[in-house]
Amino acid sequence: MKIKRLMAGGLSALLAGTTLLVAGGFANPGLGDYVTTSGSQLTSPMIVVGSDAQVSDVIGAADIGVAIAGYATTAGACTSTSTVGVSGGADVASSSKFLYFGSELNRAKSTLTISDLPTILAQGTATVDWSGGPYTYDHYIELGTRTTTFGTSGGDYDDPVSHVDIGSSFSTPLYNLTIVFNKVLNLSHADVQGGEMTLFGVDYTIGTSSRSSATATVNKLELLGGSGSTTVDEGETAEVSVGGVMHDITVDLVEGATTGRITVDGKGKSVTEGVTYTISGDQGSIDVYVKDVMYTAKESGISKMEVVLGSSKVTLQDSQKVKVGTSNTNIDGTYVDIIGDDSGVSKIVISVAAADSTNDDIKAGSYFTDPIFGSFKVAYNGLNPALDSADRDTITIDNSGTTGATLSMTDYRGNEKLMTFAFTATGTWQVDLNASSTRTYVIAEGQPVRENDYVILAPEQRSDFGHLFQLSSISSLGSTTATLSLTDVFSGDVKTVNMATPDYYNATFYIDGQTYNTRNLTAGNEMVFTWGTGAGLGVLNIDAGSKFTIWPTIRGKNGEYVALVDRVILDNTSAYTPWITDTWVEMDTQTKYVFNFTADGANVTLELPTGDLNLSWWNNTVANTSRLYANGVNQSVAEGMVHLNVTVGLLDYNITSESGGCTGYVNLRAIQLPEKYIEGTDNPTGIAVLVLEELDNTTTDRGAIVIGVNADSNSYAALDTPQFTNGYDSATQTTDASITEYVTVPYGTYLKYDSDNQGVITIKYPNEQAISTVAFGADPSFSTTSTGGAYEAVVKIDQPVAKFDTEVSTSTLASDLILIGGPCVNDLVKTLMADDGITCDNFYNTYKTGVIKEYTNAFESGQTALVVAGWTAADTRNLAAKVMKGTLDYSA
């Protein structure tokens, strides 16, 4: 199980400047009554000291501030994890191996045995008269390679559903029923025929048509099952209940050793031992198997017949379908394989699939009954978490009017944000990675960031510490007061960075304990940011260290990572031919990284969302080619402009490079997503939202979802059909022709694409990889247990709550007060105590060392004031310590 990290803002220690992490519940409950929060902000109380207060008063106020901080919390819900239990059957998953969505049924557990289903798969013994016994046998259910999937099951459902794909071909069965004899059983022997067996929980008699043979197609086991045998004397009538219906059976005559005549429900029939008959009497049709005819000469005793009433015949013949009934009706979707020879049968395998393609699935909440023995079901509970589970994180990509596309997501700190990420101006045919016509997103390390632009800072790809910031201000560069401000787009927190010596144009700063560097470009109010191993400020160029991060990611609520994608220019060339179109496109002429490889072994590592891409160059002796290596694979690029498709993880990338052939250089120009992820030519730079799944249980790479944005025929920003790097089930249209639904395999991310108008995409990302629950049993049922609960997250106190008495207006008071110091040093306390006749002059005579007292409706404001006043400053500090421990009423 994954442990999700919960992070919350620090608490500012009042008047001390110390960052605290004080959990609610460690401070006193009475004092907590003064603390009021709204959302993620502390709104009350106000701590007030006199303007002439001594240091001890201030320290006492700081102590109370620390205690109050413990109550500055907001309620939240932990991500819950649900576990599905099975009763009345056996889960095909094991305690160590789950059945993940899209996985084959036998991936977690290949075989069900007696330990899984002790009754249905109990070891049996054939009750036969043949010598050499006992003849024991074991049962197994061998799980097949069918999978859980998502779709309409070939049109069986109007809208796609999660279901088990049974299939209707016995060559790829849902399961195999296997019977293994511990000693070969000669089915041809007369002493075996008429014997009894219990197969998969159903009692049977071995029929006289059973055969063991060296010729495979003759191997056959005839099974006759019913209500149990009944012995009836000649001339007598017995009543037998079958399925709740009473039947009369009379043995009219026993003619000889194997023949006679019976009447069932008024219908007479001549019969022979070992044969099954269907007799239609006044109670309807019923099968009767004549198990034994016991003839006795009239003068020496009474003859008898042993019959099995209501018998159902099952015929298992090698290389054929299973047959049932006296008419030997085939069960479609089944196949029998019997291993044996003249000496007997050692193994029987029965493959089971659906009878036809109309009923070849098990949707969530339903089951498939075994068509041969009918003693067990295969039930499907669906996915956990369910596709509509509230525990899934919702990511929405939508349009904003006609000009933009929006992204709504929640980061893993719990902050939800709706932002415009793509913009197209009226009359244009191309979208830009912009929040507006003037504010762009910078999505590569070391690229210039203008004031009011957005930039993603992350110490490494797929980090817990990725942030989307707006460079909200750049001030006084070159002076000792030079600063820049970064506003966190999700939380609203502001990070102020002070420029450093000697020139006050650059700085090294820290966020979440991670190191970043920033430097001003000569172009004016433009900054660049670098991070990672070896990163620094540089002198003439920006030094990004050992790697260059391209498209840094932000971690979502449930552990997914989201990146904004656009073509990244890797050199300072003003124009070149992009890979997706033959037209020349003017590029930004601002300073970029220059990746000009002119020496053998020159290399650069691009840190991409799905992994690192190391590009290195070696000159070549072959005319007009260069050896450009991508993660060690020689690309053998030809002279001139070349567009290379390279794969890192499961995602493909396109690198544009310019080679001088054997003349001694390679210039890297740009990197972007290939055309296969982006529809049309109205998005030549490859603008998209990239959602990376977490590592699943089967691969070492992350699945990804790519949602591109284009300018449609009206020059509106329109969403592309989503693309997937991993498998998915399935691109299934719903009854609404504009809606297509997908579920990724194997992680189980759900996606709905509504192509109407400019399009909207909703992604439901699970808090854990989705698990399918499939069970076999007589009557399997499911129960779900959820774990999780509530928590109190600390609230970041970023606004002053401590004031001097001279700064408080009692006429506009909107919060409770905690007043520190007596009437001699705190004018607000002086005013309140005056109503009690207490002044600075007589305070000592009344309280000696001091008082802790609550005043309701203080200053007729409706607010409460808690006075903590000692005769000396030291007394006040001691009283503050009492308040921290819970004392709100004290005098001495």
Side-chain angles (χ1 to χ4, degrees), residues 90-161:
D91 193 339
V92 302
S94 67
S95 58
S96 59
K97 289 185 179 180
F98 295 120
L99 181 66
Y100 293 102
F101 177 67
S103 296
E104 299 172 341
L105 289 188
N106 61 7
R107 178 175 180 80
K109 187 183 293 184
S110 62
T111 305
L112 300 178
T113 67
I114 187 174
S115 62
D116 299 300
L117 300 171
T119 300
I120 295 171
L121 300 180
Q123 186 182 62
T125 300
T127 306
V128 296
D129 294 332
W130 191 34
S131 62
Y135 294 94
T136 59
Y137 51 90
D138 295 295
H139 301 79
Y140 305 99
I141 299 176
E142 297 175 325
L143 304 178
T145 58
R146 308 308 300 183
T147 63
T148 53
T149 186
F150 180 75
T152 61
S153 188
D156 293 344
Y157 304 104
D158 292 334
D159 289 324
V161 296

Side-chain angles (χ1 to χ4, degrees), residues 452-500:
N452 293 320
D453 281 352
Y454 298 87
V455 61
I456 299 177
L457 303 183
E460 60 184 356
Q461 288 287 21
R462 304 182 305 279
S463 164
D464 288 352
F465 305 111
H467 292 264
L468 173 61
F469 289 108
Q470 183 177 30
L471 182 55
S472 48
S473 70
I474 304 173
S475 177
S476 304
L477 291 176
S479 72
T480 57
T481 59
T483 61
L484 64 82
S485 294
L486 293 166
T487 301
D488 192 306
V489 171
F490 282 86
S491 69
D493 294 342
V494 178
K495 171 68 177 180
T496 300
V497 178
N498 297 310
M499 298 294 106

Side-chain angles (χ1 to χ4, degrees), residues 66 73 188 218 278 408 471 485 523 666 686 714 727 830 848 884:
V66 169
T73 63
S188 300
V218 180
T278 300
S408 174
L471 182 55
S485 294
V666 167
N714 296 313
K830 178 180 178 180
K848 300 296 189 262
M884 294 176 69

